[in-house]
Amino acid sequence: MEPTIKLRPDQIEAYHTNGFLTIDAITTPEELALLREKYDQMFARAVGREEGNWFDLAGTNEEGKEVVMPQVLDPERYVPEFKNTLMRANADAIAKQLLGPEATGSGAHCIYKPPKISPETPWHQDEAYWDPAYEYCTLSIWVPLQPATVEMGCMWFVPGTHRWDVLPHRHINNDPRIHGLELVDFEKYTKVAIACPLPAGGATIHHPRTLHYAGPNRSDTPRRAYILGGQLPRKKRAVPLRYPWLEEEDSLVTRTKRELAETGKGAETVAARESK
Ligand code: NI
């Protein structure tokens, strides 16, 4: 499919200055209606659980516990209609415009916030989730499939923080069984935070180090977010960093990944990219 988005020079400059950008439309209303239908079916089926690609991002994933923020990694693998969309074509075009012509699309994930019960996504930097042996040149494109208001849990960003190092993180509630991360002492860094409410099918674009947050869903409507990536190849660091929060993680994701590796059953199928 041919992309329809060409960012203006002032938008490109704003992205590089602030570490994030908001656009009004990345797809059409017709495609959006189809995406929404398939998205709801996907979450109703809890696809990808065996591969470690479905889990509660904000929970411990124990039997019988209410799931408050389910996430699906690599949704295109489970839902054929998510391939070859205008949304994906535009996301890839945006990645080339912001990262350079060699940039390619990278893995998608979906974070669903059920009405009323879904908590905030705490302040974090996406790169805090990734192997610190590498340097990254990526971006994330966050698309709500219905309007995203402040009450429903739209995205918030702190401008200029994409120039910072990765700050100390820990698992939500300081519980290594929970995959989701939170920035330690976030109050110190988030005094100038900007909310980015969006129409359905709009998008925010952010750098992997930009501090960001999404509020709880206090509304009566599900908050469906579809997140696409763009990247240049990662590079091995001369001197690797260490992220203690990744070393201590004991979540459903890491346990499934370990089991698949030990049994030799397609460890490569577990997506390495998570939780943008
Ligand atoms: Ni994130």
Side-chain angles (χ1 to χ4, degrees), residues 58-111:
T60 53
N61 289 284
E62 292 161 291
E63 283 299 321
K65 275 224 171 161
E66 186 172 43
V67 174
V68 294
M69 201 192 299
Q71 163 157 272
V72 172
L73 304 180
D74 213 1
E76 291 165 20
R77 187 172 153 188
Y78 304 103
V79 182
E81 289 85 353
F82 289 161
K83 296 174 189 162
N84 303 319
T85 60
L86 179 63
M87 175 175 72
R88 173 47 91 178
N90 277 332
D92 293 356
I94 289 167
K96 287 186 195 308
Q97 289 164 43
L98 293 176
L99 302 178
E102 285 86 46
T104 55
S106 61
H109 63 280
C110 296
I111 301 177

Side-chain angles (χ1 to χ4, degrees), residues 56-232:
D56 188 348
L57 180 57
T60 53
N61 289 284
E62 292 161 291
E63 283 299 321
K65 275 224 171 161
E66 186 172 43
V67 174
V68 294
M69 201 192 299
Q71 163 157 272
V72 172
L73 304 180
D74 213 1
E76 291 165 20
R77 187 172 153 188
Y78 304 103
V79 182
E81 289 85 353
F82 289 161
K83 296 174 189 162
N84 303 319
T85 60
L86 179 63
M87 175 175 72
R88 173 47 91 178
N90 277 332
D92 293 356
I94 289 167
K96 287 186 195 308
Q97 289 164 43
L98 293 176
L99 302 178
E102 285 86 46
T104 55
S106 61
H109 63 280
C110 296
I111 301 177
Y112 175 71
K113 290 198 175 185
K116 299 288 184 194
I117 60 163
S118 200
E120 63 176 23
T121 311
W123 285 103
H124 67 279
Q125 293 164 299
D126 291 337
E127 199 175 328
Y129 282 92
W130 304 342
D131 184 348
Y134 295 90
E135 286 178 49
Y136 299 90
C137 188
T138 69
L139 51 74
S140 294
I141 302 174
W142 187 96
V143 182
L145 304 188
Q146 71 299 301
T149 61
V150 171
E151 189 202 15
M152 289 177 72
C154 71
M155 291 281 269
W156 295 66
F157 298 99
V158 183
T161 49
H162 60 306
R163 295 197 195 87
W164 295 7
D165 289 337
V166 174
L167 298 169
H169 285 66
R170 66 181 176 213
H171 292 273
I172 293 175
N173 301 334
N174 213 8
D175 184 343
R177 294 175 303 166
I178 299 178
H179 181 63
L181 295 174
E182 59 189 19
L183 180 64
V184 176
D185 294 334
F186 70 90
E187 300 92 341
K188 275 191 350 203
Y189 309 110
T190 55
K191 291 193 173 68
V192 188
I194 297 179
C196 295
L198 286 174
T204 60
I205 304 155
H206 68 272
H207 183 283
R209 292 194 178 180
T210 306
L211 291 185
H212 59 285
Y213 159 95
N217 183 4
R218 297 197 174 93
S219 77
D220 296 323
T221 312
R223 196 223 67 175
R224 308 168 186 88
Y226 196 112
I227 302 124
L228 305 104
Q231 64 180 3
L232 292 171

